[in-house]
C-alpha cells in the first residue's frame, strides 16, 4: 500500500472481532515502534504486551473510572457515549511505558517533553504498521496514569 493510502486508511477502532494476532504480526508492530525517532536515539519507550484477560479487565475498569471522572467534572458530553468493552475484546493491548529521563538534551533548552514526543512517534509507527498488516488499533488515553502504573507494576520513575 502506498504511504498516503496507508495514512488515510488507518482508523481508530473500538470494536474487534476476536481474531488472534500472530507472533509475526505482533513482532512487526513492535519493531515498527522501535524504529521511531527519539532524542539522541535513546528510545525512551518500553512495551508491555497484554493478553491476560484479568489484566485487560483491570485496564477496562481504570478506563471506565477515568471516563466517569471526566463526566463528573464537567468534561465534554461525548465522553459518556464511549464504552470500554473493546478493551476486553481486543486480542492484545500494548502499553507504552516512557522513561522521562531519556528525553535528550531538551531539558537544557526548556523542552522537557522529548521522551513523550518520542513515545508518540513510536505509537504512530505501531498504528501504521498494524494498518499495513490489515489490523485495526486505537490510541487509548482514557486512563489515570498512576492507576495504570499500579495495575501493570510499572516503576514510579516511568
Amino acid at each position: 500500500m502506498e504511504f498516503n493510502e496507508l495514512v488515510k486508511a488507518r482508523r481508530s477502532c473500538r470494536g474487534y472481532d476476536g481474531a488472534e494476532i500472530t507472533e509475526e504480526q505482533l513482532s512487526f508492530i513492535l519493531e515498527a515502534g522501535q524504529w521511531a525517532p527519539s532524542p539522541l536515539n535513546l528510545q525512551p519507550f518500553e512495551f508491555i504486551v497484554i493478553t491476560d484477560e484479568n489484566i485487560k479487565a483491570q485496564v477496562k475498569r481504570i478506563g471506565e473510572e477515568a471516563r466517569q471522572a471526566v463526566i463528573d467534572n464537567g468534561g465534554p458530553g461525548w465522553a459518556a457515549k464511549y464504552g470500554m468493552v473493546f478493551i476486553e475484546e481486543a486480542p492484545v493491548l500494548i502499553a507504552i511505558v516512557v522513561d522521562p529521563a531519556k528525553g535528550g538534551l531538551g531539558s537544557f533548552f526548556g523542552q522537557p517533553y522529548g521522551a513523550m514526543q518520542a513515545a508518540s512517534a513510536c505509537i504512530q509507527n505501531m498504528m501504521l504498521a498494524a494498518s499495513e498488516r490489515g489490523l485495526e488499533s486505537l490510541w487509548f488515553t482514557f486512563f489515570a496514569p498512576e492507576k495504570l502504573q499500579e495495575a501493570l507494576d510499572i516503576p514510579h520513575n516511568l
Side-chain angles (χ1 to χ4, degrees), residues 57-138:
Q58 289 179 53
V59 173
K60 178 184 172 206
R61 179 184 48 78
I62 290 166
E64 289 170 337
E65 289 173 2
R67 182 188 61 216
Q68 192 60 50
V70 167
I71 294 165
D72 292 348
N73 288 298
W78 57 260
K81 78 175 187 175
Y82 286 108
M84 300 287 169
V85 174
F86 66 88
I87 294 171
E88 292 176 304
E89 293 175 343
V92 65
L93 306 177
I94 303 171
I96 312 301
V97 180
V98 179
D99 184 349
K102 294 183 177 180
L105 301 176
S107 60
F108 289 98
F109 310 106
Q111 300 174 21
Y113 303 110
M116 190 62 71
Q117 291 166 333
S120 297
C122 168
I123 294 167
Q124 179 70 28
N125 279 10
M126 294 170 80
M127 292 180 79
L128 289 171
S131 287
E132 197 272 334
R133 289 293 197 247
L135 302 171
E136 299 296 334
S137 62
L138 173 72

Side-chain angles (χ1 to χ4, degrees):
M1 182 181 306
E2 291 289 322
F3 182 74
N4 285 339
E5 293 172 13
L6 178 62
V7 170
K8 292 174 184 177
R10 191 216 55 79
R11 296 286 181 267
S12 294
C13 180
R14 290 178 182 83
Y16 299 93
D17 62 9
E20 294 297 315
I21 301 284
T22 68
E23 285 296 320
E24 184 278 329
Q25 290 170 319
L26 182 58
S27 293
F28 183 79
I29 292 166
L30 295 173
E31 183 177 348
Q34 291 173 321
W35 281 101
S38 64
L40 303 175
N41 197 29
L42 292 173
Q43 298 183 7
F45 34 78
E46 298 176 24
F47 312 126
I48 299 174
V49 177
I50 303 165
T51 56
D52 181 89
E53 298 304 322
N54 293 324
I55 297 175
K56 286 183 187 180
Q58 289 179 53
V59 173
K60 178 184 172 206
R61 179 184 48 78
I62 290 166
E64 289 170 337
E65 289 173 2
R67 182 188 61 216
Q68 192 60 50
V70 167
I71 294 165
D72 292 348
N73 288 298
W78 57 260
K81 78 175 187 175
Y82 286 108
M84 300 287 169
V85 174
F86 66 88
I87 294 171
E88 292 176 304
E89 293 175 343
V92 65
L93 306 177
I94 303 171
I96 312 301
V97 180
V98 179
D99 184 349
K102 294 183 177 180
L105 301 176
S107 60
F108 289 98
F109 310 106
Q111 300 174 21
Y113 303 110
M116 190 62 71
Q117 291 166 333
S120 297
C122 168
I123 294 167
Q124 179 70 28
N125 279 10
M126 294 170 80
M127 292 180 79
L128 289 171
S131 287
E132 197 272 334
R133 289 293 197 247
L135 302 171
E136 299 296 334
S137 62
L138 173 72
W139 187 331
F140 183 67
T141 59
F142 230 138
F143 60 88
E146 63 281 352
K147 290 184 179 182
L148 194 59
Q149 193 171 24
E150 182 179 328
L152 299 179
D153 198 28
I154 299 169
H156 290 288
N157 63 313
L158 304 179

